[in-house]
Amino acid sequence: MENEEKLKELLYLFHKDRFISQQTNSKADQLYKIQSSELKENENPRHIVDEIYTSLTRFKGLNYIDPEYIASIKPFNILNEYVWHYYNGKLLTLNNNVFQLFNHIDVLEGKVKLSDELIHELKERRVIDFKAKIIKSLEILNYCGIWKISCVEDYKRIIIKKSNTIGFSHKHFFPFSEKDGFTKNINIIELKNCDCISCNFRSLDFDHLLRKLKLATYNENEETFEYAYGNFLVATDNSKKAFNIYKRISENIKGKEGSFVKYFLAKLNIKYLHNLVWEDEKLQDSFQIKDEIRNLDLNRVLYEEIEYNISDEVRNYLVKVKEEKLFLSVKKKVNELVDRIIDIKKYFERQNRGFIGSQGYQELGDQYLKLLMHFHNNRIVFIRFSEYKALSAKVFKGFIESYLTKNQGIPSLSSFYLIEFILSVRPPEFQKIINKVDVLKLDEGDDKIIVNHISNLLKSYFEDPAIAFEPYKNRVLEEYLIDMSFKEDYTSL
């Protein structure tokens, strides 16, 4: 080029690693390909079924998306501003197209039924695999904690009606009459026993968990997020095993279509492992691994490596994940809810009468569940950090304070939460909180679940003898207890 300054500007704008690439198409080629595809798609406006399906499936790689975020993006949110349209398992939408769609969809005993009118319309509009797309969309919503959908026909009419109502805002979740819309059940997933790594860990079935991990060691096909997460949970080989699996996963899926979110999550987990890999002078690879992790730039991953391969909504959400926005949001709400629960307890002790309004414990459980689903379902390696353990202790304290508020607080505790607290709260803190209660009542039937979990824990330590007269220590467990982090967590149980 004759103008050398212009050439410098171009190189600065695109960077040499963006402009020339031997392994993949240049960023300019990628952008052109995506824009051409979008232009082709926009030639024929999509049906709302396609809009919902595309909006949700573009997050492929995430098994859980914050339902508040889903409610704030298109096509559920048609306003040009952020909304708070999720509450207690319900998603509210002001989109009339969604209203019209779900007016012709019913879920009965987990089965999706479409009206004849909707089927005719979808066929006429040539929507491909419409039944499968609707089912997949509902499954994603369910896995994100959305069990009901509230649709209004004309939100502007509601705004006019409630213009003089104090506290009303169409940007927040609001009640409405049957004349203005409806709320429908959309729960189609079947609750069943799960044999995933996370559930093995949370059921205290360490024998089953560790044997699965050991068998996977000899099978390269098992180098998945599932087994990387399992090795993180038990700190295999000073957490280096998890690091190596995540590293190989990221190398194998880099640049592959549909794997961009997973690629980011693999890099994120590698970054989190930095403080979990102990530096040992006898093992130089520990220092090499930590140096490699230190040099990992997640911003570069987001804004250069996968920049043009994900939508703005997906990128914005991944930025929130990177910056731990969900954790910080839940932490803030948990602190507020626990303070409210303590205030209610004090109020009841002074007044000796009921408290009008929310008791706080239901919302507290919902917030903690969001966090559990975010970390466990997305296999994000965070639950061994002190911040998570401290927040778990805060939630546990809130439940116990509510339980001690007679006739006003939580009447019993779910075994699900109790097990989470046993796993996540440090033993001294757990003992301090539980000592406030003489007898802790569990939800009906949950005592059997606790007994089963304790049985799993004991069986994982001793093996039944085949020939010997006395049980002996589990050899697989003994092998994994070499790692101090896992030994400390296991023995504390």
Side-chain angles (χ1 to χ4, degrees), residues 445-462:
D446 278 17
D447 54 340
K448 295 179 181 179
I449 297 175
I450 293 294
V451 170
N452 182 59
H453 284 28
I454 294 174
S455 176
N456 289 338
L457 179 63
L458 296 176
K459 287 179 180 178
S460 71
Y461 192 71
F462 288 105

Side-chain angles (χ1 to χ4, degrees), residues 143-395:
Y143 284 122
C144 296
I146 298 172
W147 312 107
K148 295 182 179 181
I149 187 164
S150 297
C151 308
V152 296
E153 185 175 17
D154 184 353
Y155 77 93
K156 293 181 180 178
R157 185 174 66 204
I158 296 175
I159 291 175
I160 294 172
K161 281 184 182 179
K162 299 195 174 188
S163 59
N164 295 322
T165 303
I166 297 175
F168 169 77
S169 170
H170 65 287
K171 291 183 287 187
H172 289 79
F173 198 99
F174 60 84
F176 52 85
S177 67
E178 292 182 359
K179 293 180 181 180
D180 292 317
F182 54 78
T183 296
K184 284 191 174 185
N185 167 51
I186 57 170
N187 183 12
I188 65 170
I189 60 174
E190 180 183 355
L191 294 177
K192 54 185 178 181
N193 292 330
C194 180
D195 190 38
C196 74
I197 292 289
S198 179
C199 289
N200 293 156
F201 177 77
R202 290 149 78 184
S203 65
L204 309 185
D205 194 351
F206 291 102
D207 178 58
H208 185 45
L209 166 63
L210 297 176
R211 290 182 188 277
K212 285 167 71 173
L213 294 178
K214 190 171 179 62
L215 286 172
T217 302
Y218 308 104
N219 187 349
E220 292 183 1
N221 294 328
E222 296 294 356
E223 290 200 333
T224 61
F225 268 78
E226 180 81 351
Y227 285 91
Y229 190 68
N231 281 286
F232 150 74
L233 290 174
V234 298
T236 311
D237 191 19
N238 183 24
S239 294
K240 290 185 289 186
K241 180 73 172 179
F243 167 82
N244 287 320
I245 295 177
Y246 283 124
K247 182 180 178 180
R248 284 192 287 270
I249 289 173
S250 65
E251 292 171 346
N252 292 335
I253 66 175
K254 183 177 182 179
K256 288 188 177 180
E257 191 68 32
S259 298
F260 303 108
V261 172
K262 275 193 172 183
Y263 176 74
F264 167 78
L265 290 177
K267 292 293 189 180
L268 175 72
N269 282 335
I270 289 173
K271 197 71 175 177
Y272 275 141
L273 288 171
H274 178 269
N275 293 327
L276 299 178
V277 176
W278 292 3
E279 293 183 346
D280 189 335
E281 293 181 358
K282 297 178 182 179
L283 302 171
Q284 288 300 313
D285 61 338
S286 299
F287 293 92
Q288 294 170 4
I289 288 172
K290 297 200 79 166
D291 283 341
E292 187 173 337
I293 296 174
R294 269 192 291 267
N295 293 327
L296 174 59
D297 185 354
L298 291 177
N299 285 326
R300 188 179 189 281
V301 172
L302 281 171
Y303 296 107
E304 293 187 25
E305 295 187 41
I306 63 174
E307 181 178 11
Y308 297 126
N309 302 109
I310 55 177
S311 67
D312 290 341
E313 290 82 3
V314 174
R315 184 184 300 103
N316 291 340
Y317 189 74
L318 294 183
V319 169
K320 288 177 180 288
V321 172
K322 178 182 75 74
E323 296 178 352
E324 299 170 5
K325 290 293 180 67
L326 179 60
F327 175 79
L328 295 174
S329 172
V330 170
K331 181 180 178 180
K332 180 181 178 183
K333 291 177 181 176
V334 163
N335 287 331
E336 292 172 354
L337 289 166
V338 172
D339 288 343
R340 186 202 301 176
I341 288 170
I342 292 173
D343 288 342
I344 291 172
K345 181 171 176 285
K346 290 178 179 177
Y347 175 86
F348 180 75
E349 290 171 347
R350 289 195 309 267
Q351 303 293 330
N352 196 27
R353 61 180 180 178
F355 181 87
I356 299 174
S358 170
Q359 307 303 313
Y361 62 81
Q362 180 67 52
E363 296 95 321
L364 183 63
D366 290 343
Q367 288 297 318
Y368 191 55
L369 184 59
K370 282 176 62 176
L371 210 57
L372 290 173
M373 294 174 74
H374 172 62
F375 290 130
H376 279 296
N377 294 10
N378 289 326
R379 305 298 189 251
I380 297 175
V381 296
F382 195 86
I383 65 169
R384 285 176 55 200
F385 294 142
S386 58
E387 303 99 308
Y388 181 82
K389 293 179 181 294
L391 185 60
S392 297
K394 188 84 173 184
V395 176

Side-chain angles (χ1 to χ4, degrees), residues 82-130:
Y82 195 87
V83 296
W84 294 263
H85 282 174
Y86 170 81
Y87 176 74
N88 195 26
K90 296 179 185 178
L91 183 150
L92 170 68
T93 177
L94 309 182
N95 191 334
N96 180 263
N97 290 331
V98 180
F99 172 88
Q100 297 298 337
L101 173 65
F102 279 92
N103 199 30
H104 295 279
I105 297 178
D106 288 300
V107 175
L108 303 172
E109 297 180 352
K111 304 296 181 182
V112 178
K113 183 179 179 181
L114 310 182
S115 71
D116 293 338
E117 183 181 340
L118 177 59
I119 293 173
H120 176 75
E121 176 189 330
L122 293 169
K123 287 181 177 179
E124 192 175 63
R125 294 280 297 275
R126 298 182 182 180
V127 179
I128 301 171
D129 297 330
F130 56 82

Side-chain angles (χ1 to χ4, degrees), residues 65-80:
I65 311 157
D66 183 358
E68 292 184 12
Y69 189 77
I70 292 177
S72 71
I73 61 175
K74 294 180 179 179
F76 302 106
N77 178 21
I78 57 173
L79 305 177
N80 292 321

Side-chain angles (χ1 to χ4, degrees), residues 409-465:
I410 187 171
S412 58
L413 187 64
S414 165
S415 61
F416 172 83
Y417 288 117
L418 182 58
I419 291 297
E420 290 298 333
F421 298 140
I422 291 173
L423 286 168
S424 303
V425 180
R426 298 188 187 282
E429 187 72 14
F430 184 92
Q431 193 68 41
K432 180 181 176 182
I433 296 171
I434 201 69
N435 279 345
K436 294 183 178 181
V437 181
D438 294 328
V439 177
L440 180 61
K441 183 181 178 182
L442 298 177
D443 290 351
E444 186 176 355
D446 278 17
D447 54 340
K448 295 179 181 179
I449 297 175
I450 293 294
V451 170
N452 182 59
H453 284 28
I454 294 174
S455 176
N456 289 338
L457 179 63
L458 296 176
K459 287 179 180 178
S460 71
Y461 192 71
F462 288 105
E463 289 189 86
D464 292 329

Side-chain angles (χ1 to χ4, degrees), residues 53-70:
Y53 177 77
T54 302
S55 177
L56 296 174
T57 55
R58 60 186 167 175
F59 289 90
K60 181 183 178 182
L62 286 167
N63 297 318
Y64 174 83
I65 311 157
D66 183 358
E68 292 184 12
Y69 189 77
I70 292 177

Side-chain angles (χ1 to χ4, degrees), residues 13-27:
L13 177 63
F14 290 104
H15 302 292
K16 65 180 188 319
D17 56 332
R18 289 183 172 207
F19 202 60
I20 302 172
S21 175
Q22 295 178 349
Q23 297 179 344
T24 60
N25 293 333
S26 69
K27 295 297 179 181

